[in-house]
Amino acid sequence: MRREWTMIGVSVALFAACFLNYRPWRGYSSDRKVEIIAEPIRIAHNLLVEGEFRDPFGALPTGRTAHIAPGLPFLQFLVLKTLGDGARGWLALQTLPVLALSLGLALLPWAARWIGLSAWAGVLAAIFGLLTKPGAEPQWEAHLAGLLSLLLFVSVYRFETHRPSTLFALATGVLAGVIFLLQPVVALPYLCWIALLMRRRDIRGRVAMLIAMPLAISIPWSVRNYRELGTPGMRDNLGLELYVSFNDCASYSFEENLKHRCHETFHPNSSIREAEQVRALGEYNYNRERFHIALNWIRSHAEAAGTLIAQRFWFFWFPSTEGFDGYRRQRARWLYLHAFTLASLVGIYLIWKQRLPCAPYFSIFLATFPLIYYLHESAPRYRYPILWITLLLAAHAILTLCSHAFRARQSR
């Protein structure tokens, strides 16, 4: 019992350290207003004002949309409806991702223990998170997705090592459905985890609930998208994102594309011409057309497309907003992240060598989640939903190697 209270105390300290590290109230004033910058908050604002999930782009109103999954805009809508778009709403929206990140770091010691690692690996991983200090991203889902993906990972992993109750299976399925509404990219690793679990015949009935519940939660949104837009997908932005990411002026990153004014030409957030096309064609047809334009560009510029994909692969794992030259001017927190990324490679090797049951689950998440982002103009926030894995594997590697070194020294 004393150990449990110690872990609770450590978690509270980690939560407080992270929250105070960000201080989301900085910049607060009584006349502060919510800034409508990113697509999710624009949709949330339109939902508040017009009662519809529509007009995600800044250049022009373009109509009803499935450009963004509904989870974050709906949550932001609830904040705006409850607290307004003034100072209180601004503070709540600033605080929400910091709370999610702080809670995620605070849970790492418990998560580490639940999946067969040392609780101290979780503590060290949380400290690594404090050192790297990822951006708060107040208008995006990155840290909320990170917290929920941590909870989902631990919950699904329990099916590997236990025979969970029906209620636990239902709760895990609901959690998966909520994540899909927030960040649909998690669906691919989740389905791979389900395939792994189907090896166990004794839990197949409960595993079926892990499929049924997310479907039940996702279907209403898919039906809405099909009826109003012509697509059953959770999101309908792949064509646009490929179009922006593969063209004659495209660079590897979002920041570089902004700098080179690529977005002003290709993205309806900045381009009136593209926004008019969205409005004229409809979002679904626009995305289909832009998908084929991007695909034709990739086919006719295979070498350039391959270079962009290779750069995005690299910068997803070793981010820099100014290319390779930017490494020389990066802040220490980014250098820490690169070091922890390298250490996590040792960590993934060690958990396989130690034959820990969590090894395939980690590997699946790391292999499948980033795939879409290798095709997409890169931004550091895309990695945040799985950053906790890097931190945890790095911590496990360092503790394991230190333990081996200590034992070797003792045996002399």
Side-chain angles (χ1 to χ4, degrees):
M1 190 64 184
R2 184 176 179 180
R3 183 185 179 189
E4 303 297 319
W5 281 109
T6 300
M7 284 188 62
I8 291 172
V10 169
S11 293
V12 170
L14 290 170
F15 180 93
C18 183
F19 194 80
L20 295 174
N21 198 25
Y22 283 88
R23 289 174 290 171
W25 56 86
R26 284 184 300 179
Y28 175 85
S29 63
S30 58
D31 59 347
R32 193 82 196 226
K33 299 285 287 183
V34 173
E35 297 174 285
I36 310 299
I37 299 174
E39 290 101 319
I41 192 66
R42 187 171 291 113
I43 293 171
H45 189 261
N46 289 328
L47 188 57
L48 179 70
V49 174
E50 301 182 35
E52 289 189 335
F53 204 90
R54 59 180 297 125
D55 301 335
F57 306 118
L60 287 173
T62 54
R64 293 175 180 175
T65 185
H67 178 72
I68 296 290
L72 181 63
F74 185 71
L75 181 59
Q76 293 171 330
F77 158 75
L78 291 178
V79 171
L80 295 178
K81 186 173 180 60
T82 305
L83 301 175
D85 61 358
R88 292 194 304 163
W90 176 89
L91 182 59
L93 292 174
Q94 292 291 121
T95 303
L96 193 60
V98 176
L99 283 174
L101 178 59
S102 301
L103 186 56
L105 294 185
L107 287 175
L108 280 178
W110 301 88
R113 192 171 74 171
W114 290 331
I115 62 177
L117 304 180
S118 164
W120 288 111
V123 174
L124 188 58
I127 293 171
F128 290 169
L130 295 175
L131 290 173
T132 58
K133 195 180 180 182
E137 303 295 344
Q139 295 201 2
W140 292 100
E141 82 290 339
H143 294 307
L144 287 168
L147 171 62
L148 295 183
S149 71
L150 170 63
L151 296 174
L152 183 65
F153 184 94
V154 173
S155 299
V156 171
Y157 178 75
R158 186 173 176 83
F159 286 77
E160 177 70 30
T161 55
H162 297 77
R163 194 173 187 275
S165 67
T166 301
L167 183 60
F168 186 85
L170 287 171
T172 302
V174 169
L175 176 60
V178 170
I179 292 181
F180 297 167
L181 294 178
L182 183 71
Q183 175 50 282
V185 178
V186 177
L188 180 56
Y190 181 78
L191 291 175
C192 294
W193 292 339
I194 297 299
L196 268 183
L197 292 175
M198 290 301 288
R199 298 169 302 167
R200 289 188 55 185
R201 294 183 180 181
D202 61 319
I203 62 168
R204 284 183 180 174
R206 288 171 172 78
V207 171
M209 296 180 194
L210 301 185
I211 301 172
M213 291 309 299
L215 282 175
I217 291 171
S218 303
I219 282 175
W221 180 249
S222 295
V223 170
R224 175 263 182 193
N225 289 345
Y226 185 74
R227 290 179 61 184
E228 298 190 5
L229 300 162
T231 173
M234 294 292 291
R235 294 184 69 173
D236 184 29
N237 67 334
L238 180 60
L240 168 59
E241 301 304 341
L242 290 180
Y243 176 64
V244 172
S245 299
F246 292 98
N247 57 67
D248 290 337
C249 78
S251 182
Y252 75 94
S253 77
F254 174 77
E255 291 289 339
E256 289 294 304
N257 282 341
L258 281 181
K259 188 187 300 182
H260 298 150
R261 298 187 173 179
C262 222
H263 268 256
E264 292 183 15
T265 303
F266 290 91
H267 202 292
N269 237 350
S270 308
S271 169
I272 292 178
R273 183 197 67 184
E274 292 297 322
E276 287 175 340
Q277 285 292 299
V278 177
R279 189 160 60 181
L281 296 172
E283 191 175 271
Y284 174 59
N285 290 326
Y286 173 85
N287 272 285
R288 288 184 63 187
E289 182 179 285
R290 289 329 188 242
F291 177 83
H292 291 296
I293 292 173
L295 205 59
N296 289 333
W297 190 93
I298 291 170
R299 287 170 178 161
S300 60
H301 300 79
E303 184 176 348
T307 299
L308 285 171
I309 292 170
Q311 288 175 335
R312 288 163 187 165
F313 174 90
W314 176 263
F315 289 111
F316 180 89
W317 296 107
F318 299 95
S320 168
T321 55
E322 299 179 29
F324 291 101
D325 289 339
Y327 288 133
R328 293 179 296 176
R329 298 183 291 275
Q330 280 189 328
R331 295 180 178 179
R333 65 188 183 90
W334 289 105
L335 301 178
Y336 290 140
L337 176 59
H338 303 330
F340 299 148
T341 301
L342 292 173
S344 72
L345 298 177
V346 179
I348 199 74
Y349 166 76
L350 287 173
I351 62 173
W352 277 103
K353 185 179 179 181
Q354 295 161 347
R355 297 184 179 181
L356 297 179
C358 62
Y361 291 88
F362 275 132
S363 300
I364 285 170
F365 212 173
L366 293 172
T368 58
F369 180 85
L371 288 176
I372 190 64
Y373 297 117
Y374 301 153
L375 304 176
H376 192 290
E377 53 179 358
S378 69
R381 66 181 171 85
Y382 297 149
R383 187 180 169 191
Y384 292 166
I386 60 169
L387 183 59
W388 62 270
I389 302 179
T390 295
L391 303 175
L392 199 52
L393 289 175
H396 178 67
I398 290 170
L399 288 181
T400 301
L401 294 177
C402 287
S403 177
H404 287 338
F406 179 77
R407 281 200 292 261
R409 186 172 180 180
Q410 290 292 101
S411 63
R412 288 178 186 174

